[in-house]
Amino acid sequence: MAGIAPGAVDRDNPFKRNGLTSAGWVLLAAYLLYSFNTMGVSWERFSNGLGFADRLLERMFPPNFSRSELLLGGLVESLEIAIISTVIGIGLSLFLGLFAARNLMPLWVSAPVRSLIALCRTFHPVIVAILFVKSVGFGALAGILTLIVASIGFIAKLFAEAIEEVSLKQVEAIRATGAGFVSVILFSVMPQVLSRFIGFSTYQLDSNLRNSTMVGIVGAGGLGGTLFSAFQRFDYDFVAAILITIIALIMFGEFLSNVVRRVFR
Amino acid sequence: MTAIDHHWQRFTLPQKLSRYAVYLCVLLALLVSLRTVEVIPEFFYDAPAQMADLFRRMWPIDFAYYPMTVQGAMIETLNIATIGTLLTLPLAMPLALMNASNVVASPWVHWIARFFLVSSRSVNSLVWALLFVAIFGPGVISGVLAIAFRSVGFVGKLLGEAIEEVNMGAIEALRATGASWMSVLLKGYWPQVMPAFFSIVLFRWDINVRESAVLGLVGAGGIGVVLNDAMNLFEWQRVSMALLAIFVVVIVAEILVVNIRKRLI
């Protein structure tokens, strides 16, 4: 069976309780009680909310597709943001991932690149989008820059990890022929990681498509901006139409990334 | 004697053609997007100067602001993330069981479960938050529900996949003893799924800490409210304080999750 060394089992009490774990559970329970109390949930507020939910749904249906020009404009902008940022983000990640791989680069190169990648990952895309909107103004450019940052944080990290797992035999074989550094990368490292890199990239296209519909909420272009202004004007039937469009767009994106993955398998 | 064709090809002709078709499509999509996207070139050239200006205004960080509002809001953010993650579980577990083909055989049930899981994932947490703010009003409750509804898709999908990988021998043995379905779930499936379960929940909690930090931008409580207020007042030194707090909490949460996971699994 799975890795149970015969000597390590306590015969008298095989299900001995771990004191630390029990204490952890008690702490978790106490924390939950406390945080529920601070949240201020009351039954009254909840039942009021259900009434509002009923009215909201009533106003959302049927969805109103009459302002299709606005809807399509936002949709196209979201698509453009997703495509541009994915291509640029992937291109940059290809280099950053190489520079971050610890088995190819000396520490003084890989460490700073790694921290740059980690920094790209720590902040939620919306926060990055806010900063870009404040510095480059409203519109698609802020969205593109945001999603480039998000793509680098994700792909470059996974790509660097994939490179660190390559088999060194092929690298040595190419080195033994007297190949230079670029040839070593192109002919021994790349063939081993390219298929995984394409997997990450299609995933990122998918995820950029999702996020491109969201960055608009803070003014960075795309369908999210249309959604947010419809919310603020209480046009809930238009909101429903936008939500349906977003779900359709994301299903289309999933279909697209499946096709690409099948081609490159 | 037949001549042996020594010319080796890695891919067949259709494979090659479909690959080139994908490259071509990506290139075309990129070109079309670059031509039609509405980016104002002046803003683009101006971007580095504007960014530098923004960061200059953020410095020095206003630490006096921390005890006033940031601390309370940060605790609220953590509460939203934790309660939201826990609220996800009762919603996600039935869906995961319904989605696993070795628990429920009916394709109808699968279809229903998949519908809920996909729609939960397609709608971004900010959009969920907008909906719940419209229903329950601004505050922590909307944030918790947004996090919970957003996480259902992720947790349900991964948990369903973990359940499908269970070794069916133990399940069959239990069934042969005439155990009820509840006992089969508790004694057959649960011990095998438990490590995956904890790792999925911890992973999602880590994501939720990041996500709950931005929910306040649409009024759903937490540090996002503080960030939004400070930005609307152009108090950039306070903005940088809030950003620093988010950064530290996200890093600490990640370290915590890595260590707990090591201990549990």
Side-chain angles (χ1 to χ4, degrees), chain B residues 96 117 153-163 196 200 203:
Chain B
L117 294 179
F154 179 92
V155 175
K157 180 174 187 261
L158 291 182
L159 202 58
E161 281 167 9
I163 293 173
I200 293 167
F203 185 30

Side-chain angles (χ1 to χ4, degrees), chain A residues 73-86 140 144 209 212, chain B residues 29-30 32-38:
Chain A
L75 185 71
V76 168
E77 197 174 40
S78 273
L79 262 173
E80 287 167 350
I81 291 174
I83 291 168
I84 297 175
S85 61
T86 310
I144 292 171
L209 214 54
S212 68
Chain B
L30 181 67
V32 170
S33 306
L34 280 175
R35 285 183 69 111
T36 51
V37 78
E38 279 170 41

Side-chain angles (χ1 to χ4, degrees), chain A residues 20 31-32 35 39 45 49 52 80 121 124 126-127 130 134-136 141 210 214 243 250-251 264, chain B residues 19 36-37 43 47 50-51 79 86 118 121-122 124 135-136 138 140 210-211 214 217 231 243 263:
Chain A
L20 202 66
Y31 165 73
L32 277 184
S35 53
M39 210 162 71
R45 192 170 175 195
F52 282 123
E80 287 167 350
R121 251 162 46 84
H124 192 276
V126 171
I127 294 181
I130 293 170
K134 298 288 171 188
S135 54
V136 304
L141 178 61
R210 279 161 207 253
M214 167 197 69
L243 285 180
I250 284 160
M251 290 197 165
F264 282 97
Chain B
R19 271 162 195 252
T36 51
V37 78
F43 282 8
Q50 294 289 343
M51 292 281 282
N79 286 349
L86 287 170
V118 169
R121 272 181 296 142
S122 307
N124 198 279
I135 294 171
F136 289 104
V140 178
R210 286 159 210 248
E211 298 232 314
V214 296
L217 295 170
M231 262 184 318
L243 288 179
R263 199 153 290 183

Side-chain angles (χ1 to χ4, degrees), chain B residues 95-118:
Chain B
L95 288 174
L97 287 172
M98 282 160 72
N99 202 18
S101 54
N102 55 350
V103 180
V104 181
S106 147
W108 275 101
V109 175
H110 286 208
W111 194 83
I112 294 169
R114 204 153 295 163
F115 171 76
F116 279 113
L117 294 179
V118 169

Side-chain angles (χ1 to χ4, degrees), chain A residues 145 157 223 240:
Chain A
L145 292 173
K157 176 178 184 276
L223 204 48

Side-chain angles (χ1 to χ4, degrees), chain A residues 5 36 58 98 116 194 198 205:
Chain A
F36 257 117
E58 219 164 77
L98 269 175
L116 176 73
L194 202 63
I198 283 166
L205 174 67

